Amino acid sequence: MRIVDARAGRDTLADTLQEALPAGSEVAILWRDPHGTTVAGSASPGATTALANRADSLLSREPLAQHSHRVEAGWTTAEGVRVALAAQLPGPLAPEIRAMWVALARQVIGHHLVALRTLARAESLEKSERLQQALYEIADLAGSDLELADMLRRLHTVVAGLMYAANLYIVLYDDVRDTMRFLYFADQRDTYVAEPERDIPVEEMPNSVTVALLRHGEPLQGPSAAIRERLCVARDIRHGPDSEDWLGVPMRRDDRICGAIVVQSYDRPDVYGEEERALLAFVAQHILTALDRFHAREELERRVEERTQALQLSNRDLQAEIIERQRAERLQRALFRIAELSITSETLERFYTQVHDVVSDLLYARNFYIALLTEDGERLEFPYSIDERDTQREARKLASGLTEYVIARGRPLLADRKRIAALEAQGLVRSRGSLAHCWLGVPLFRNESVVGVITVQSYSPAINFSVRDQELLTFVAHHISIGLARKQAQDRLVAAHAELEQRVDSRTRELAQANAELLSQIGERLRVEQQLTHQATHDALTGLPNRSQLLERLAQAIERAQAEPNRTFAVLFLDLDRFKLVNDSVGHSAGDELLIETGRRIVDAVRSDDTVARLGGDEYAILIEDIEGPQVAEELAQRVLRALGEPCWIAGREVFPSASLGIALWHPRYRNGAELLRDADAAMYRAKSAGRDRWAVFDEAMREEAVRILDLEADLRRAINGDGFVAFYQPIVRLDDHRVIGHEALLRWRHERRGLLTPSEFIGVGEDSGLIEEVDWILYRQVMDELARGGEGYISVNVSPRHFRSGDFADRLLRMIDQAGADPHRLRIEITEVALLDDVPRALRMLRTLRSHGVLAQLDDFGTGFSALSYLHRFPIECLKIDQSFVAGLVGDTQPESVAVVRAIQALAGTLGIETIGEGVETEAQRATLRELGCTFGQGYLFGRPAERTHVMPLRLAVTG
């Protein structure tokens, strides 16, 4: 309990009450707050200690019997304040005067207490206003653009306005690194100079009271010597002089100690109490907030600066990429232009002129000529030549000119005047015509043979051709060769078309004349009625019955079969194979011609009383009634397929149509014709999946197949949750020494009943159900674990276009690599051209993200898709895998075509700096041919079949023929 003297000069509360008593009286008054922590009071001059003790005893009890020379009273106010009153009288006092004086005292004391409470509230409000103003100033300082030192000095000034803070310092603490920094230090006696940027290890200050405060985590107050004794900290003069009063408050961020603020007094004890501690703790958190905002602003400015620099670098890279892209686009436009010219140019002479214009857009081509070998290979012709000096180039026998030198070697030649002179000195060439300062010639190929040369030359020392120009002209020459061959073939085709058109025109006139004679014999009214009836029940294109009429006839056939159980019939459902290819290649009008011809051939093949209907698109149906058994339907199906398989001319092209056909025989279980058509359609799809150009009869086996697919899908789901999928690895080797440089991971399924399955046996079910993506990720996880076990060479995994449609595929794959602890540089992904072209921007982002982390990309089955040069150079492709169909053709009747394709792929890959891998190498002859064509790596049964393996890789394979 703390007793507070409430006297304020002579005019005190006790003096006032003493004046109402006889002279010589003494008065003592005490009161205690409702919490019982503070006692205050007032006493008249000369009041004895005994009287004050008497009043103090009344605070805890009621007055006893009244004494004639003493007045005692005790009561509790409405606010809970306990009041005690004691007065010593010089003589007895009348009871009524005594009562009046006590009542007066109660009233006066009550007013006095109200006044004291009002004064206390005013002082509290003044403190709150000062604190609020201080917090406003702290917030303003945190948001200002002052330097940190200036801001902290002003914060010191704000704190000094709230308490004694002549000696103040602020320290920040990093509990992760166990270091601290003195951000601010102001002291009247300690000469220490703060270094805000210096991190001080806490272990270097074992006897620091500040460190003890940070470890303690709670506010500390009192003489510094007492605090050291309390916390068992030894005296160390390096940490400054002792203070009479020391107050330190830790700064917290969530539950972590992140610093402290300390004030101290060297000459006055008991300067700081609970109020100062609470105030400093309150201000400390706002100072921490101010520091956080200051550091956040600095961090923002730093990040803005970094982002600005990154944007500048990105802008430079973008400019470079734009320049490269413009060059590539210019080249691509030139290639497209050459391809277009091979179709649109009226004559070969016009084609040569326009090709010259295209080349001129790419490099200096003021002096340009095309030289071609004659059919017998004995002479050289110049179908096109533009030159500043040699205006005419006459055909000549093969000699030893630069052009003949390129033809003989089959390789480009870039030669300046010095190189030409060296070749002449060696007797390899002999210059003809004007001497060029710089000469560049590139061979033109047809299949594997050189058929000519395309040449540019310069007569000025100021103009020279570079290796880049040579690569560019070589690249363009390949397409010029293709365009030239296409143009020559087109000219021959135009002549054939002209003859065919004459025959078509003649036949059209004959048909028109016959049609006019027929129409003239039919009355207008009958024609209109028949046309309306026909349109309602027949197909507009082929004139055959439509679906509506077929369903009516089916309903009639079902009624007859139900009435006469011995009668039976069948429905044949027919669908043309690859009909979309006709529409996409030669147009819908040509497709309509094929549909009409198909309907005509079906009608010619069936019996006269059978019904042939077109259901829509390229689908037809045949109703055959009164048959003896299924063999009649099967014979008719075979006859229809034979008739359709005969070649026909559509839009000037010879087409070999084929179809898939399904048969559904009548059974009493059918309720309507739609069910018969449904099952015939299902049988047709069975025939189409079996290889097209065949028929199939619907039976219970097809129903069982549907059940089998459902069971396989269920097994697939269970295998995903188990361990049924395993990775098999097939080696990829260097062709010249058979050294293994990597493996391709292939998916296998160990089915609990059917044994080891390849993807072809379940991939369809997986694609249809959407489960194949989960299966892929199981394979990827096994590959990551294999890579994590170490070894040599890379492992490639196949990535379907479905994965590239997922925006987080690259991030998910990289996370899997990190989780497994695998080396990303030993992983490659194999993608198809479809995956690249499906969404080019997304594919680019994914490939660049993976490449930046070391995962390279290989283009699988190259040559079987679009193989568009317009995209290949844009993507970060490490390797092209030549499709096994071209590798298989390197030996046999298709060798010339396959060799040409592989050579073109090698030329493309060499130009772009991309490696190649031949797939499906099964014989030594294929390996040797690939090696001769420049292919470096191979994969196939010749080097090893897919198998499970451990992380130890063989460095070399023994290959047997």
Side-chain angles (χ1 to χ4, degrees):
M1 181 176 69
R2 182 183 177 191
I3 300 176
V4 179
D5 186 3
R7 298 185 61 178
R10 290 295 299 167
D11 190 16
T12 64
L13 176 62
D15 294 340
T16 302
L17 294 178
Q18 183 188 28
E19 292 175 357
L21 292 174
S25 299
E26 299 175 0
V27 178
I29 308 166
L30 293 178
W31 58 86
R32 184 174 59 205
D33 60 24
H35 305 292
T37 58
T38 303
V39 175
S42 178
S44 61
T48 63
T49 302
L51 185 64
N53 292 336
R54 191 73 180 173
D56 181 60
S57 66
L58 294 176
L59 288 176
S60 56
R61 64 176 178 81
E62 293 298 326
L64 301 177
Q66 292 289 343
H67 191 276
S68 61
H69 290 76
R70 192 167 53 243
V71 178
E72 295 180 352
W75 68 92
T76 302
T77 67
E79 291 79 13
V81 178
R82 178 66 180 177
V83 180
L85 172 66
Q88 184 66 40
L89 305 175
L93 191 66
E96 60 274 13
I97 296 176
R98 181 192 296 265
M100 290 177 59
W101 183 82
V102 171
L104 174 64
R106 289 174 66 102
Q107 186 175 8
V108 170
I109 291 171
H111 289 310
H112 183 76
L113 291 177
V114 170
L116 289 178
R117 285 197 300 271
T118 302
L119 180 60
R121 283 197 297 268
E123 291 177 351
S124 176
L125 180 60
E126 183 180 355
K127 288 183 179 179
S128 298
E129 289 178 351
R130 289 204 310 272
L131 177 60
Q132 185 177 22
Q133 182 62 33
L135 296 181
Y136 284 149
E137 292 179 16
I138 291 173
D140 290 341
L141 289 174
S144 68
D145 56 357
L146 294 173
E147 295 295 331
L148 180 61
D150 292 340
M151 185 188 75
L152 294 177
R153 278 195 295 273
R154 297 196 182 187
L155 285 175
H156 183 186
T157 303
V158 173
V159 174
L162 300 174
M163 66 177 72
Y164 177 74
N167 308 295
L168 177 144
Y169 62 87
I170 301 173
V171 63
L172 288 185
Y173 176 58
D174 187 339
D175 60 350
V176 176
R177 297 189 300 166
D178 201 25
T179 59
M180 63 183 186
R181 287 187 294 154
F182 283 92
L183 288 187
Y184 182 79
F185 193 91
D187 200 281
Q188 295 174 328
R189 297 187 182 181
D190 196 337
T191 59
Y192 175 75
V193 178
E195 300 177 72
E197 301 300 325
R198 179 189 170 208
D199 288 322
I200 303 173
V202 170
E203 62 184 12
E204 295 181 3
M205 305 178 68
N207 299 321
S208 171
V209 179
T210 305
V211 173
L213 170 66
L214 296 174
R215 300 291 194 206
H216 184 64
E218 298 294 336
L220 295 174
Q221 186 267 327
S224 57
I227 294 175
R228 284 201 311 274
E229 181 179 357
R230 174 185 172 188
L231 300 180
C232 300
V233 177
R235 176 76 172 95
D236 191 338
I237 60 173
R238 292 179 300 173
H239 300 316
D242 279 344
S243 55
E244 293 294 328
D245 202 2
W246 192 94
L247 174 61
V249 175
M251 295 188 290
R252 296 179 180 271
R253 185 179 289 111
D254 298 327
D255 294 331
R256 298 170 56 188
I257 302 297
C258 59
I261 180 170
V262 176
V263 293
Q264 53 187 332
S265 170
Y266 292 112
D267 49 7
R268 291 186 295 170
D270 298 326
V271 174
Y272 308 114
E274 288 298 318
E275 181 177 350
E276 286 75 16
R277 182 200 61 76
L279 179 62
L280 189 60
F282 190 60
V283 172
Q285 289 306 117
H286 285 77
I287 291 177
L288 178 61
T289 302
L291 291 174
D292 287 343
R293 291 178 60 184
F294 182 84
H295 290 308
R297 188 186 69 208
E298 285 188 331
E299 178 65 17
L300 178 60
E301 292 174 353
R302 184 188 64 79
R303 293 177 61 185
V304 168
E305 179 64 23
E306 290 179 353
R307 184 60 178 163
T308 302
Q309 294 176 357
L311 288 175
Q312 290 173 349
L313 292 175
S314 177
N315 184 57
R316 285 199 295 270
D317 293 341
L318 183 60
Q319 292 296 328
E321 182 179 348
I322 289 173
I323 293 173
E324 180 62 23
R325 183 174 298 176
Q326 289 173 345
R327 187 194 70 81
E329 289 177 352
R330 190 167 69 252
L331 173 60
Q332 189 64 56
R333 286 195 299 269
L335 300 182
F336 284 147
R337 179 63 175 155
I338 291 171
E340 181 184 13
L341 293 176
S342 66
I343 300 174
T344 59
S345 295
E346 297 85 358
T347 63
L348 276 174
E349 290 75 11
R350 180 63 178 165
F351 174 73
Y352 295 141
T353 302
Q354 292 172 326
V355 166
H356 183 196
D357 294 338
V358 172
V359 174
S360 298
D361 290 338
L362 300 176
L363 69 160
Y364 177 82
R366 179 174 296 179
N367 306 296
F368 173 91
Y369 68 82
I370 297 175
L372 297 177
L373 287 172
T374 57
E375 292 294 335
D376 56 9
E378 298 294 331
R379 293 177 60 82
L380 198 61
E381 295 179 342
F382 298 89
Y384 184 82
S385 176
I386 296 294
D387 199 278
E388 295 173 308
R389 299 185 181 180
D390 297 333
T391 57
Q392 293 291 332
R393 277 190 170 83
E394 301 294 337
R396 66 171 185 259
K397 290 185 177 181
L398 291 181
S400 57
L402 291 173
T403 305
E404 289 87 340
Y405 181 75
V406 172
I407 292 175
R409 295 173 68 245
R411 294 195 300 271
L413 174 63
L414 172 60
D416 55 10
R417 186 65 253 160
K418 183 177 180 181
R419 175 79 185 282
I420 295 173
L423 292 174
E424 290 177 340
Q426 297 172 18
L428 298 177
V429 299
R430 181 180 177 185
S431 297
R432 305 178 67 89
S434 302
L435 295 178
H437 174 75
C438 191
W439 192 92
L440 174 59
V442 174
L444 297 174
F445 287 92
R446 181 178 301 159
N447 296 330
E448 298 181 9
S449 303
V450 178
V451 297
V453 177
I454 180 171
T455 303
V456 292
Q457 52 187 332
S458 164
Y459 296 110
S460 170
I463 299 175
N464 291 282
F465 300 110
S466 64
V467 175
R468 188 183 184 94
D469 293 328
Q470 175 183 320
E471 294 173 350
L472 183 63
L473 190 60
T474 302
F475 197 56
V476 173
H478 173 69
H479 290 268
I480 292 176
S481 299
I482 296 173
L484 181 59
R486 185 183 299 160
K487 180 59 183 173
Q488 292 172 341
Q490 184 183 8
D491 288 348
R492 291 192 293 270
L493 187 61
V494 168
H497 283 179
E499 180 183 356
L500 180 60
E501 287 177 359
Q502 291 178 358
R503 294 172 59 188
V504 171
D505 289 343
S506 176
R507 182 60 177 163
T508 301
R509 286 193 296 271
E510 294 174 2
L511 291 175
Q513 183 178 359
N515 187 49
E517 292 174 356
L518 181 62
L519 289 177
S520 63
Q521 299 174 10
I522 302 173
E524 182 66 21
R525 181 174 179 178
L526 179 61
R527 185 189 66 78
V528 172
E529 291 177 354
Q530 291 177 344
Q531 183 179 6
L532 292 175
T533 302
H534 190 274
Q535 289 176 351
T537 59
H538 289 76
D539 174 55
L541 179 64
T542 61
L544 296 174
N546 57 14
R547 180 184 292 270
S548 174
Q549 185 176 353
L550 176 65
L551 290 175
E552 290 179 4
R553 296 191 182 184
L554 278 172
Q556 296 170 4
I558 291 173
E559 290 178 1
R560 287 192 293 269
Q562 290 173 342
E564 303 177 32
N566 293 329
R567 294 175 65 100
T568 187
F569 64 94
V571 175
L572 283 67
F573 194 103
L574 182 144
D575 180 90
L576 291 178
D577 297 330
R578 296 182 295 273
F579 175 73
K580 186 176 183 299
L581 180 62
V582 176
N583 274 342
D584 294 344
S585 58
V586 294
H588 289 277
S589 59
D592 290 344
E593 291 180 27
L594 180 58
L595 293 174
I596 294 171
E597 178 63 15
T598 299
R600 185 189 64 77
R601 293 189 180 189
I602 296 174
V603 171
D604 292 343
V606 302
R607 304 175 304 180
S608 59
D609 54 349
D610 294 337
T611 300
V612 179
R614 178 175 178 240
L615 304 182
D618 60 336
E619 296 177 345
Y620 297 81
I622 306 170
L623 169 62
I624 54 175
E625 299 187 72
D626 297 327
I627 61 175
E628 298 175 358
Q631 70 277 5
V632 177
E634 294 170 1
E635 292 172 359
L636 177 61
Q638 190 62 44
R639 193 163 61 248
V640 169
L641 292 179
R642 265 198 315 270
L644 291 177
E646 295 295 327
C648 61
W649 284 87
I650 300 296
R653 287 177 171 80
E654 189 175 21
V655 178
F656 294 82
S658 67
S660 299
L661 193 147
I663 303 172
L665 298 170
W666 158 252
H667 191 279
R669 69 172 177 269
Y670 292 114
R671 295 172 296 178
N672 51 54
E675 295 181 355
L676 270 162
L677 283 176
R678 177 200 63 200
D679 288 349
D681 188 16
M684 181 274 295
Y685 276 104
R686 167 63 65 85
K688 190 177 290 290
S689 64
R692 299 188 175 93
D693 194 18
R694 62 192 65 207
W695 53 267
V697 179
F698 184 86
D699 54 17
E700 291 302 318
M702 293 187 183
R703 297 184 186 275
E704 294 174 2
E705 176 65 11
V707 173
R708 187 193 67 80
I709 291 175
L710 288 175
D711 292 341
L712 187 61
E713 181 178 343
D715 292 343
L716 190 63
R717 294 183 184 275
R718 286 193 295 272
I720 290 174
N721 297 325
D723 55 353
F725 293 101
V726 293
F728 275 50
Y729 300 87
Q730 186 173 30
I732 301 171
V733 305
R734 188 181 291 118
L735 292 178
D736 54 359
D737 61 358
H738 299 166
R739 183 178 179 85
V740 176
I741 57 96
H743 288 76
E744 180 181 1
L746 302 172
L747 179 65
R748 295 293 184 268
W749 179 10
R750 280 203 177 93
H751 196 277
E752 55 188 359
R753 296 186 307 278
R754 298 173 59 188
L756 192 65
L757 303 181
T758 61
S760 61
E761 298 176 85
F762 61 88
I763 196 73
V765 175
E767 290 284 354
D768 293 340
S769 62
L771 299 175
I772 198 63
E773 287 189 55
E774 297 182 48
V775 176
D776 286 345
W777 284 110
I778 294 175
L779 174 69
Y780 298 163
R781 169 61 66 188
Q782 294 183 15
V783 171
M784 301 311 161
D785 294 339
E786 179 69 18
L787 289 173
R789 288 193 285 268
E792 299 178 4
Y794 66 84
I795 299 179
S796 63
V797 295
N798 289 281
V799 178
S800 69
R802 184 189 295 266
H803 287 299
F804 264 61
R805 299 187 190 106
S806 175
D808 64 342
F809 171 75
D811 293 336
R812 184 177 176 184
L813 187 65
L814 292 173
R815 284 197 303 271
M816 182 177 286
I817 294 173
D818 291 339
Q819 292 169 0
D823 182 4
H825 295 84
R826 292 186 56 215
L827 177 67
R828 293 191 182 184
I829 63 170
E830 292 190 14
I831 54 179
T832 62
E833 298 167 62
V834 175
L836 291 180
L837 298 180
D838 192 21
D839 189 341
V840 172
R842 177 180 293 172
L844 270 173
R845 288 194 301 271
M846 286 191 182
L847 291 180
R848 287 172 179 169
T849 298
L850 291 173
R851 192 178 185 91
S852 67
H853 288 79
V855 180
L856 304 180
Q858 300 183 161
L859 192 58
D860 196 14
D861 299 332
F862 185 76
T864 61
F866 298 97
S867 299
L869 298 174
S870 59
Y871 77 85
L872 189 55
H873 70 280
R874 300 172 56 188
F875 294 93
I877 302 298
E878 182 71 12
C879 180
L880 299 179
K881 299 192 75 173
I882 303 171
D883 187 73
Q884 59 184 355
S885 61
F886 301 124
V887 175
L890 293 177
V891 178
D893 296 336
T894 60
Q895 182 182 18
E897 293 81 4
S898 296
V899 168
V901 171
V902 174
R903 177 177 284 114
I905 293 174
Q906 284 296 130
L908 173 62
T911 301
L912 299 178
I914 299 176
E915 297 175 347
T916 56
I917 298 174
E919 291 183 296
V921 182
E922 297 182 358
T923 66
E924 182 63 23
Q926 292 172 346
R927 185 200 70 81
T929 305
L930 280 173
R931 188 70 189 92
E932 292 172 1
L933 292 175
C935 182
T936 309
F937 306 108
Q939 176 184 355
Y941 289 167
L942 179 65
F943 311 113
R945 293 178 178 270
E948 290 183 274
R949 64 182 181 86
T950 64
H951 69 282
V952 179
M953 292 185 180
L955 297 180
R956 188 180 298 272
L957 292 176
V959 179
T960 58

